[in-house]
Amino acid sequence: MVTVNTKKRILGQKKPFKLEDIWRIRTRLEIEGNLMELALLNLAIDCKLRSCDLLRLRVCDVSSSGIIMMRVLLTQSKTSRDVQFEITSKTQHALSQWLFVSQLSPQDFLFPSPRREGVPMSYSYYASIIKRWASTLGLDSTHYGTHSMRRTKATLIYAKTKNIRAVQLLLGHVKLDNTIRYLGVEIEDALKISEDTDI
């Protein structure tokens, strides 16, 4: 549920990006040659991590001997539970390009702060990048934030498969109820699944 406070700032769950939105952002970043943001976009979509976990990733977490891994196992800071995520070939390519031009060492943060040495990109800087992506698409940026990136692929997977358990595992949720609320699964979705199941 979305509410509005007295300052007209929209509160509540942020929208996921649509597939066509992601392609438009990706194409724009490729044309601009913005390798850092392209790698950030692709990895944020693939990993489905909370921003606190995404931003603390180091080069050695996703790369070994200069090769980008296909799968990563990470302990979530919020729940202390392990979660796995895939790194698709498109994301592997973007990360390889970013690491080549940035010359980051294995212990460096994957997305370092542009202002302070030795620390990761800040949450506010990351959030501002996402809002700019939304604005360039002509979207209302107040509806988008860091959780938009976590929700995007999860929402697409659910829409395609209706497999809530799979999405629960990918998001690292302890309870299925959390995943249901997170995806905004409504009774209409449940009824449609039931109607499509012929016994």
Side-chain angles (χ1 to χ4, degrees):
M1 180 177 175
V2 174
T3 58
V4 180
N5 68 7
T6 54
K7 294 183 179 178
K8 301 294 183 187
R9 185 168 63 89
I10 295 179
L11 306 174
Q13 200 170 62
K14 299 300 184 183
K15 287 184 176 182
F17 285 103
K18 296 177 182 176
L19 185 58
E20 57 266 30
D21 296 333
I22 294 302
W23 278 104
R24 287 172 62 198
I25 297 168
R26 186 179 285 142
T27 300
R28 182 183 293 268
L29 294 174
E30 288 173 347
I31 291 170
E32 293 172 353
N34 192 333
L35 299 179
M36 187 279 286
E37 288 192 18
L38 182 62
L40 179 62
L41 170 74
N42 287 346
L43 185 60
I45 294 294
D46 275 358
C47 74
K48 303 165 287 292
L49 293 172
R50 295 177 182 89
S51 57
C52 58
D53 292 324
L54 171 65
L55 297 178
R56 72 179 173 91
L57 286 174
R58 297 180 186 268
V59 173
C60 59
D61 292 325
V62 301
S63 175
S64 178
S65 302
I67 305 298
I68 304 297
M69 301 172 190
M70 294 178 66
R71 289 189 179 177
V72 174
L73 177 67
L74 184 80
T75 303
Q76 300 174 100
S77 55
K78 182 178 179 180
T79 63
S80 298
R81 289 171 61 92
D82 288 342
V83 66
Q84 290 191 65
F85 62 87
E86 75 286 358
I87 302 181
T88 60
S89 57
K90 189 179 294 294
T91 302
Q92 288 176 324
H93 181 67
L95 285 170
S96 294
Q97 287 187 307
W98 165 235
L99 293 180
F100 178 76
V101 300
S102 64
Q103 295 295 294
L104 295 172
S105 70
Q107 289 305 314
D108 286 336
F109 288 106
L110 192 54
F111 302 108
S113 168
R115 299 184 185 92
R116 297 171 55 203
E117 192 172 343
V119 297
M121 177 188 295
S122 68
Y123 171 86
S124 59
Y125 190 76
Y126 176 43
S128 71
I129 289 174
I130 295 167
K131 288 185 179 298
R132 176 164 43 78
W133 289 342
S135 294
T136 59
L137 297 180
L139 302 172
D140 184 346
S141 64
T142 60
H143 291 289
Y144 297 87
T146 59
H147 254 59
S148 297
M149 307 310 293
R150 178 163 157 80
R151 294 186 69 214
T152 294
K153 194 166 187 177
T155 303
L156 292 171
I157 291 169
Y158 174 71
K160 185 175 183 179
T161 67
K162 302 300 183 188
N163 189 332
I164 296 176
R165 173 61 178 160
V167 176
Q168 178 194 11
L169 291 171
L170 292 169
L171 291 173
H173 283 162
V174 177
K175 297 180 179 178
L176 195 62
D177 285 353
N178 294 340
T179 309
I180 291 169
R181 283 194 301 273
Y182 199 77
L183 292 174
V185 176
E186 302 293 344
I187 188 64
E188 285 302 320
D189 294 314
L191 288 172
K192 184 72 170 69
I193 294 169
S194 183
E195 288 167 356
D196 291 343
T197 306
D198 188 15
I199 297 177

